[in-house]
Amino acid sequence: MPSLVRGERIPTIHLTETVIVQDYLAEGGQGEVYKVDYNGKPCALKWYKRPVPPDAFYDNLLSNVKKGAPNEHYLWPLMLTAKYKGSYGYIMELRPQKYHEFGEFLLNIVRFNSYEAMLTAAFNIVESFRLLHSKGYSYQDVNEGGFFINPMDGDVLICDNDNVAPYGVNLGVKGMPRYMSPEVVLDITRPNTHSDRFSLAILLFRLFYIDHPLEGQYTIQFPLTDAIGAQLYGVNPIFVYDPKNDKNRPHPEAQPNVIKRWGMYPPDLQMAFTKAFTKGMKDINSRITEMEWEETLVRVRGMLVTLAGREQFINIYAKQKLPEGCRIIQFPEYVVALAGNSKIYQCHADQYSADYMTVAGVVKASISNKNVIGLGNMTDKVWKAKTPDGQIVEVRPNAYAKLDSGMEIDFGGTVGKVF
C-alpha cells in the first residue's frame, strides 16, 4: 500500500514550500515514486520506504541539491522534503513518455530508430559520466535500471542519483549483481570512480550487443548462488571474447545477440571492450576512461554511412573497394567514411578540438549521379580545397566542395585528404 495519498501536502526543507501528491507511479527497492505538484509544476517525488536511510544519506542528498546536476541528462534531485511521517524524499523532473527504460531495449521491446541514435545514446551516457567524475562524484550503482533513452534520437535521462557521493564516500550502496566490478563483488573496496568505469563498460556493451560480456558457455552451467556469483564475477570473471581464453564463448541459444553483432560494428569497438574486460578486469588503471570511450565512439561513428537508404558500417581498415557513392577522408587523428547525409564534426575539422557534437560539414549526393558527392561547409571559416590537378578552390560557409579522390581540404584547423 502506498505510504502517501492523493492531495497530501509534504513540506520541503524550505518550510514555506510544499509538494502536493497527485498520483502513485511506481515502487522500487528503496522507495516509492509519486507524481506531485511542486510550485505549480508537475514533478516526481521519490519517497523512501522503511528502513529509512540514515542522516548521512539525507545530508548527502541535500549537498547534491545545492551543487546541482552535472548536465541536463540527469534527473537530479531538485529539492529535498523535510522529514515527515518518519521518512523523507526528494523531488526531480518527471520522465517524459517518449523515454524508455534501458531494460526494454535489452528485451527487444523497444529498438533504436537508427545506429546513429544508438551511438548518440552512448555519447550522452559517456559524457554525462565524464562530467560527473570531473566534479569529484562517483555514481556507485551503475546498472540498467538507472537509464531512460529516447529511441528516436538517443537522448538519455539518468535517474537514481540519490547514491551519488563525493569520491571516497560511500553511504552503504554496493551495486547491482552482474554490474559490479570484481573488487566490489569481493568486498575489497566500496564503489568509486574506478568501479563506475567497469560498470559503465558493461552498460555500454549491453547497449551495443544486448547480452552480458561475462556470461557465456562456461557461466551458464552454474546456478547463480551468492558463492558462485562471487566466483564468476569476482574471483575469475571471463570475457566472452577474451582472445587468450575461449572457455566462456557466447552460447548460440543463450547469447545469440552478441554472436550476431560482434563482427557487425567496427574493430575499434571490439578493441575497447576487449581491453575493458581483459586488462581492465582487475587492473583499475587499465579501465577505459570516459575520454577514451568518446574517442572510440568518434571513430565508430565515422564509419557509419547511409547508402540506398540503409545504414551500414564501412570497415575503413580493410583493403576493399568502397561502395558506389562513398568516399574516405583521412584526418591526422581520424578516418571518416562519407556518403549522402554523412557529417564531419568539429573534432575532425580542428585537430585540437574535443567537440564531437558540433557539425562542421555535411555531405550531399548529386540527384542525377549518386556517385558524385559534395561536402558542405557548416562553419564560419573559409576552407581551401586543393583539387587533384593542383588548383586551390575556396569553400566559403554554406558552400560545397565536390569530393574527388586525391583532393586535400584545409579546414583551417587541420587538413584532410580524400580517397
Side-chain angles (χ1 to χ4, degrees):
M1 178 180 294
S3 305
L4 306 174
V5 297
R6 182 191 295 266
E8 193 163 358
R9 291 176 175 268
I10 302 168
T12 71
I13 51 172
H14 301 307
L15 298 179
T16 56
E17 295 181 344
T18 60
V19 293
I20 305 170
V21 177
Q22 294 182 325
D23 289 299
Y24 171 81
L25 296 178
E27 182 174 351
Q30 264 188 319
E32 303 159 344
V33 180
Y34 297 84
K35 181 181 179 182
V36 298
D37 179 291
Y38 174 56
N39 290 336
K41 177 183 177 181
C43 287
L45 168 68
K46 181 172 180 178
W47 189 254
Y48 292 101
K49 299 184 295 186
R50 298 182 185 280
V52 178
D55 287 345
F57 191 90
Y58 186 91
D59 294 341
N60 184 69
L61 269 175
L62 181 56
S63 175
N64 289 351
V65 168
K66 292 177 179 177
K67 290 179 179 178
N71 68 8
E72 72 278 8
H73 294 293
Y74 286 91
L75 292 175
W76 198 256
L78 300 174
M79 180 56 64
L80 195 58
T81 74
K83 294 181 179 180
Y84 172 80
K85 293 174 62 174
S87 188
Y88 59 86
Y90 69 89
I91 302 151
M92 58 186 162
E93 299 281 355
L94 274 172
R95 169 175 61 97
Q97 290 186 345
K98 61 184 179 180
Y99 291 81
H100 294 266
E101 296 177 12
F102 193 100
E104 293 181 75
F105 293 85
L106 301 181
L107 295 172
N108 206 26
I109 296 172
V110 179
R111 292 185 178 185
F112 283 101
N113 184 55
S114 62
Y115 288 122
E116 184 176 7
M118 179 187 290
L119 283 162
T120 300
F123 274 115
N124 286 331
I125 291 170
V126 170
E127 175 64 5
S128 297
F129 274 81
R130 187 189 71 79
L131 290 172
L132 182 82
H133 291 158
S134 73
K135 292 179 180 293
Y137 291 114
S138 58
Y139 187 86
Q140 306 199 7
D141 190 17
V142 179
N143 67 76
E144 65 202 60
F147 297 82
F148 298 102
I149 304 174
N150 183 342
M152 302 304 294
D153 61 11
D155 197 30
V156 170
L157 294 174
I158 303 172
C159 65
D160 291 347
N161 298 296
D162 39 351
N163 290 307
V164 171
Y167 185 80
V169 175
N170 178 265
L171 299 166
V173 66
K174 186 174 178 180
M176 178 180 284
R178 301 169 69 232
Y179 282 89
M180 293 184 287
S181 66
E183 69 273 15
V184 172
V185 171
L186 298 175
D187 289 321
I188 295 171
T189 185
R190 304 303 290 176
N192 53 49
T193 302
H194 296 296
S195 63
D196 273 3
R197 286 177 176 153
F198 184 86
S199 304
L200 178 61
I202 291 180
L203 189 85
L204 292 173
F205 188 93
R206 304 201 71 187
L207 181 77
F208 288 104
Y209 302 108
I210 306 296
D211 297 320
H212 195 284
L214 307 181
E215 295 173 359
Q217 296 179 14
Y218 176 69
T219 59
I220 63 172
Q221 302 176 68
F222 306 100
L224 196 55
T225 63
D226 289 345
I228 292 175
Q231 179 70 29
L232 298 179
Y233 300 98
V235 176
N236 188 32
I238 305 171
F239 179 44
V240 292
Y241 281 116
D242 188 323
K244 297 181 179 179
N245 186 350
D246 63 2
K247 185 177 182 179
N248 197 32
R249 290 288 185 260
H251 189 282
E253 294 181 5
Q255 292 90 27
N257 297 292
V258 68
I259 294 174
K260 178 181 178 180
R261 297 180 177 212
W262 182 246
M264 184 174 72
Y265 298 111
D268 300 76
L269 203 59
Q270 297 175 359
M271 289 187 290
F273 283 120
T274 299
K275 179 183 176 183
F277 298 119
T278 54
K279 292 181 179 179
M281 194 84 80
K282 299 291 182 70
D283 179 8
I284 61 173
N285 295 313
S286 292
R287 288 181 181 162
I288 309 293
T289 66
E290 293 78 27
M291 290 187 67
E292 289 174 318
W293 277 123
E294 288 175 352
E295 290 177 4
T296 297
L297 293 170
V298 168
R299 296 180 192 281
V300 171
R301 183 179 60 185
M303 293 182 238
L304 178 65
V305 298
T306 300
L307 293 167
R310 177 177 173 269
E311 285 185 305
Q312 65 183 84
F313 289 98
I314 302 294
N315 185 351
I316 57 177
Y317 308 115
K319 293 181 179 180
Q320 58 186 22
K321 184 179 179 181
L322 290 175
E324 184 177 349
C326 186
R327 300 285 186 278
I328 295 292
I329 185 165
Q330 172 80 59
F331 296 98
E333 300 292 333
Y334 300 103
V335 183
V336 180
L338 300 175
N341 299 319
S342 291
K343 304 176 184 72
I344 64 169
Y345 295 83
Q346 194 61 34
C347 62
H348 298 132
D350 182 352
Q351 67 184 102
Y352 300 107
S353 173
D355 182 354
Y356 56 81
M357 293 304 288
T358 300
V359 175
V362 295
V363 175
K364 295 295 181 185
S366 167
I367 296 175
S368 58
N369 184 351
K370 297 298 182 182
N371 198 37
V372 176
I373 61 175
L375 179 64
N377 182 355
M378 299 295 110
T379 73
D380 57 4
K381 293 182 177 181
V382 176
W383 298 346
K384 293 183 179 180
K386 182 179 179 181
T387 64
D389 60 5
Q391 296 185 52
I392 303 297
V393 179
E394 286 192 343
V395 185
R396 296 187 174 275
N398 299 312
Y400 281 77
K402 180 185 174 184
L403 291 175
D404 289 322
S405 181
M407 87 182 310
E408 293 183 357
I409 303 176
D410 185 343
F411 295 94
T414 192
V415 175
K417 185 170 183 179
V418 180
F419 294 91

